Amino acid sequence: MKKLDLDEFGGPRDVALGIGFAVLGAILFASPARVAGLDLPLPWLGLTPVFLWAVLRPGLGASLGAFGAGLLQDVISGGPIGVWAFAFLIAYAVTVGQREALLGQSGGALWIGFGLAAAAAAGAALVSGWLAMSTSAMQNGVAPELEGLGDLRSRGGPTPEAFKLALQATVTIACAALTVRPFRGFARIGAAQGALR
Amino acid sequence: MTDRRRRQRATDRFGGPFARAVLVVMILGALGFSAISYRTDWVRTSRAYVDDVVAPIQGVVAIPFAALRSGARGLSDHFDVHSENQRLKEENARLRAWYELSSAMRSKMERYEKLLALNPDPAAQVVTARVIGETSGPFVKTRLVNAGSTDGVEPGQAVLTETWLIGRIVTAGRSSSRVLLLKDLNSRVPVMAERNGARAILAGDNSDRPKIEFLRTGHGLVNGDRIVTSGDAGQLPRGLVIGEAVVDRGGAWRVRLYGDDAPVDYVRVVRFTFPSPPEDEIAVPEIGAAGGGESDAAGRTANAGGAG
C-alpha cells in the first residue's frame, strides 16, 4: 500500500485553508441569521476539511483537527462546550470508516459520502445537545421537556431541533460544492485510486 | 488478501493504535464535557473573555445579515404598502383615543402618588446594543450583544427590544455580553398577569412559547391576558411587558412573546438598581430622587457616600 498521491494532501497550504474554514465557519455559524421571521439555517463550514482529512489523510493530526474545529464552533457559538466537538469527531470517524469505498470515486459517490458525514454530525449534535440540556435542566430541578426532539403536531410551537439540524446539514452539503474547491478535494480523492493499487 | 492482513489494515485506518485511542478519548471526553459544561463555572467566566475577543469580528459578520433583514423587510413593506397604510390609519385613530386617556391618567396618577407620598421606583438607565451573534446550535437560545461591563452591563439585567422583554444577561465581558432568551430551557422569570396580578414563573422549554408555571388555583387567567414581569425575587424591574397568555393544546398556559415579531438588530439593556435590603443600607428611600448618578459604581455605594 503506497501513499503517493495522498501525501500531496495536508501540506501547509491545505492546513492553512482548513484552519481558515474552521475559524470562518465557527464565526458564520454564530451569526444572527433571523430574516423575515425565519431562522436561516447556517452551514458548518468546518466539516469540509474534517471530511477531506478523514478520506485523504486520516490519523492523529486529522482527529485532533476535527476536535479543534468542533471546539471552536462550541466556544464561539455560545452553546455548551463539547456538542460540536463530539459531532465533528463522529463525522470524522464515520468518514474514516467509509474511506476505502470513497477513494478513487468521483461525483455522486463522494456526495453520498459527504452527506453521510453531515448526517452523522447532525445526529451526534442532537444527542450531545440533548444530553447537555437535560443535565442543566435537572440541575434547575425541572424535568426537561424536550419538545425540540420533534413535536411536530403543535405547529406555531417549537421548531424541532432535529429538523433545524437537518436543515443545517442540507445547507452544509450544498455549500460543500464551493468549499471543497480550494482544496481541490474531490479531484484528489478521485486521483487517489491509482496510488492505492 | 488474508483475514489477518485485512484486520491489520483496518486498525491502521485511524493511524495506528495510539491515534485510535486518542480519538476514542476525545469522543468520550467531548460527550462527557457537553453534559457538565453548563454546571461548570469556569466555562462561564472564560466564555466572557472569548466573546470579547470574537465580538469585533462577529460585529462585522453580522452586518450583511442585518442588511439582508432590512432588505427583506423593505421588500415585504413594498408589497403590502396599501393594506398596511389602511391598517395603520385605523390603528392610529384607535391609539389617539388611548393617548388622550393615558395622558389624563398620568396626571391623575401623579396627583395620587403625591397625595399618598408614594416612593417612586428607582429610575432605570438604558444601554442600547447591537446584536452580533446568535446560537444556532441545538437546544440553546442565546444572543451576543456588543455592550459589556464598560457600558455598565451586568449579569441579571433585563434585555428588551424597543418595548418588550426578550431575556436577560447571563455573562458580561468587557465589551460584549450574552443574553439568555426567555425561550431557553434554563430561563426562569417571575411574572404576573397585568390585569389581576396573578403570580407565576415563566419557564423556557425550548419552544417558541414559554410555559407559565406555578400558577395558583383560581388564578383567573384568561386567553390574551398581558403577562409582565412581577419584579419578585429582586432580579428584574416590575412591569416589563413580555407577551400574552395563551392556552396550548395540552391545556397548559403559555406566553406568546411580543418580542418575537420585533426586529432583532438592536436591543436595550436595562440598568436597574434595586433598592438594597434595609439591614445593610439606611439611605434606601433616597435612591429615587438621586436618579442613578453618573458613576460606574453600583448605586448602593454611590448613595452610601452621598449619605455619609
Side-chain angles (χ1 to χ4, degrees):
Chain A
M1 195 172 56
K2 284 164 263 152
K3 292 205 269 175
L4 292 173
D5 281 345
L6 297 184
D7 279 347
E8 276 179 19
F9 186 80
R13 184 178 166 274
D14 292 324
V15 171
L17 270 173
I19 292 173
F21 270 107
V23 173
L24 197 77
I27 290 172
L28 179 72
F29 186 68
S31 296
R34 197 174 171 86
V35 175
L38 294 170
D39 286 319
L40 293 187
L42 293 168
W44 319 315
L45 296 189
L47 192 67
T48 304
V50 168
F51 173 80
L52 291 178
W53 253 272
V55 178
L56 289 168
R57 197 105 199 240
L60 186 61
S63 55
L64 286 172
F67 180 72
L71 200 63
L72 206 61
Q73 189 149 311
D74 278 324
V75 167
I76 294 181
S77 77
I81 308 291
V83 169
W84 289 107
F86 179 69
F88 281 10
L89 282 170
I90 292 294
Y92 169 79
V94 165
T95 309
V96 172
Q98 306 294 312
R99 184 170 183 244
E100 276 138 45
L102 290 172
L103 281 172
Q105 300 288 339
S106 60
L110 294 183
W111 284 112
I112 292 172
F114 191 79
L116 214 63
L126 191 68
V127 170
S128 54
W130 175 83
L131 189 68
M133 281 302 109
S134 38
T135 49
S136 79
M138 278 190 308
Q139 188 194 17
N140 285 342
V142 180
E145 295 190 29
L146 295 167
E147 315 202 5
L149 276 178
D151 188 11
L152 278 163
R153 75 205 139 81
S154 67
R155 280 313 305 169
T159 309
E161 301 297 328
F163 182 65
K164 184 165 98 178
L165 285 164
L167 275 183
Q168 286 172 358
T170 311
V171 173
T172 303
I173 296 166
C175 283
L178 292 173
T179 52
V180 293
R181 246 181 226 171
F183 295 96
R184 297 191 302 107
F186 282 10
R188 277 166 158 176
I189 296 174
Q193 188 180 27
L196 269 187
R197 292 287 146 81
Chain B
M1 193 186 291
T2 65
D3 202 37
R4 218 181 95 233
R5 275 186 66 192
R6 184 173 293 155
R7 210 179 312 133
Q8 197 173 2
R9 198 169 136 184
T11 8
D12 277 346
R13 214 189 275 159
F14 286 92
F18 177 68
R20 184 175 277 250
V22 171
L23 180 64
V24 170
V25 167
M26 281 193 297
I27 288 177
L28 293 179
L31 187 65
F33 201 78
S34 70
I36 60 160
S37 149
Y38 264 26
R39 308 180 182 201
T40 319
D41 277 342
W42 62 263
V43 169
R44 202 172 308 159
T45 45
S46 46
R47 167 153 281 152
Y49 291 111
V50 174
D51 284 346
D52 271 354
V53 172
V54 189
I57 312 166
Q58 290 278 78
V60 176
V61 178
I63 291 172
F65 286 102
L68 204 62
R69 258 194 298 280
S70 80
R73 219 175 303 141
L75 204 66
S76 71
D77 284 354
H78 183 77
F79 281 117
D80 49 34
V81 66
H82 184 74
S83 60
E84 184 75 358
N85 193 24
Q86 208 64 29
R87 194 183 66 77
L88 287 174
K89 270 182 186 159
E90 282 164 21
E91 190 176 280
N92 200 24
R94 229 181 16 253
L95 288 179
R96 203 170 297 143
W98 274 109
Y99 174 77
E100 299 301 339
L101 187 67
S102 86
S103 64
M105 296 283 248
R106 192 176 60 185
S107 63
K108 210 186 220 174
M109 192 71 112
E110 274 167 7
R111 227 169 44 237
Y112 285 162
E113 280 181 355
K114 204 172 262 174
L115 276 174
L116 291 168
L118 195 72
N119 243 342
D121 280 337
Q125 288 178 318
V126 168
V127 180
T128 303
R130 191 157 69 91
V131 176
I132 54 174
E134 188 156 6
T135 318
S136 302
F139 304 113
V140 187
K141 317 268 184 197
T142 68
R143 280 184 195 159
L144 187 67
V145 299
N146 70 346
S149 55
T150 48
D151 309 289
V153 175
E154 279 168 31
Q157 288 169 342
V159 180
L160 316 180
T161 63
E162 301 104 279
T163 30
W164 301 299
L165 184 77
I166 55 167
R168 62 197 162 83
I169 303 286
V170 272
T171 59
R174 286 175 55 78
S175 60
S176 69
S177 41
R178 209 162 262 288
V179 183
L180 186 76
L181 299 182
L182 295 171
K183 302 177 206 174
D184 191 283
L185 208 56
N186 283 307
S187 169
R188 299 285 179 279
V189 174
V191 295
M192 64 181 185
E194 197 179 44
R195 191 173 48 82
N196 62 5
R199 295 298 207 278
I201 299 287
L202 186 69
D205 65 351
N206 199 45
S207 74
D208 278 350
R209 296 183 175 181
K211 251 185 178 157
I212 304 180
E213 282 182 347
F214 304 112
L215 263 174
R216 277 203 199 154
T217 45
H219 50 73
L221 217 59
V222 294
N223 238 330
D225 262 350
R226 269 155 60 97
I227 300 296
V228 300
T229 52
S230 66
D232 295 340
Q235 278 194 335
L236 301 173
R238 179 192 169 103
L240 299 174
V241 180
I242 295 173
E244 62 188 35
V246 288
V247 183
D248 72 1
R249 282 170 192 219
W253 285 98
R254 287 178 177 277
V255 171
R256 192 177 73 76
L257 302 170
Y258 288 150
D260 243 13
D261 307 326
V264 295
D265 293 330
Y266 288 92
V267 295
R268 309 200 307 162
V269 183
V270 181
R271 293 172 54 190
F272 183 80
T273 336
F274 267 91
S276 22
E279 56 263 25
D280 60 36
E281 176 60 62
I282 307 145
V284 171
E286 280 153 40
I287 290 177
E294 287 302 307
S295 81
D296 255 42
R300 184 196 305 190
T301 48
N303 263 319

